[in-house]
Amino acid sequence: MAESWSTFTRTSRAVPHRCISASTNTAPPLPSPKLLLLGIFSTASARAAARRALIRRTMLARPDARIDHRFVIAAANASMTTLRELGSEQSANRDLLLLRATSEQMAGGKNLDYYLSVAEAAPHTYEWVVKADDDTYIAIPRLIEVLGGIQATDAFWGQHWPWPVKALRSTVALLRPNSTGPSMASQMAAARAASSALVGFDRSDFGEARPSWFFCGPLYAISADLVRWLRCLRGSELS
């Protein structure tokens, strides 16, 4: 992947509608794409940097020629010190994708800007574009096996775990101190209750085994043609 694809800034430049149809492309045939790009969402914090190092030593320890990975970081509000630290990390590892105009917020557009950056810089490089978080446990050989067996055309692949969020929140809320100042005994009792509740969440509402609480982040993939379509759609909105 080109080294210039280390940063991405959302622009207002309209994308020609002809990109929607491959029939208008008169360029020479493109090389065969890699199977997937694995985008692991991270942040600019020191804690996140330590987790990226852990992921490189473990899940990414055995490179595979069929995939590339990038740690995706929203850098709009990063300080100059943080940007220098990220620059040093990038020089050492060459695996960061900094979204320069994107804020690290739920509504900051990070997901969309990630896909737009792929569509802008590498529209035909991958069959699949995968989004994961840095608390997602990824069995990469299995991911390659599964996505390699699916036709990457107009496709989405992922899994949703129906977590009983209300039950968890009502139990863990017992740990929060109130204005009366709970005694140590009541705090310990609440901790034991929360621990027991978490044990009960080892299985889903349908009896299916759940992932570990420590690494239980999401992962999904969309085919590259949908990534390119997002760019065209974005262009039509701005034109």
Side-chain angles (χ1 to χ4, degrees), residues 47-61:
R47 181 177 182 181
R51 180 164 287 201
R52 290 193 293 273
L54 171 64
I55 293 172
R56 293 188 188 103
R57 294 195 306 269
T58 53
M59 288 185 285
L60 300 176

Side-chain angles (χ1 to χ4, degrees), residues 32-87:
S32 298
K34 291 190 175 186
L35 178 60
L36 66 93
L37 171 68
L38 175 59
I40 303 174
F41 278 35
S42 185
T43 69
S45 70
R47 181 177 182 181
R51 180 164 287 201
R52 290 193 293 273
L54 171 64
I55 293 172
R56 293 188 188 103
R57 294 195 306 269
T58 53
M59 288 185 285
L60 300 176
R62 296 183 179 180
D64 191 298
R66 291 168 289 183
I67 74 171
D68 287 328
H69 76 273
R70 285 293 185 274
F71 290 100
V72 184
I73 301 171
N77 300 321
S79 66
M80 291 304 299
T81 299
T82 298
L83 289 175
R84 285 193 294 268
E85 292 171 349
L86 291 172

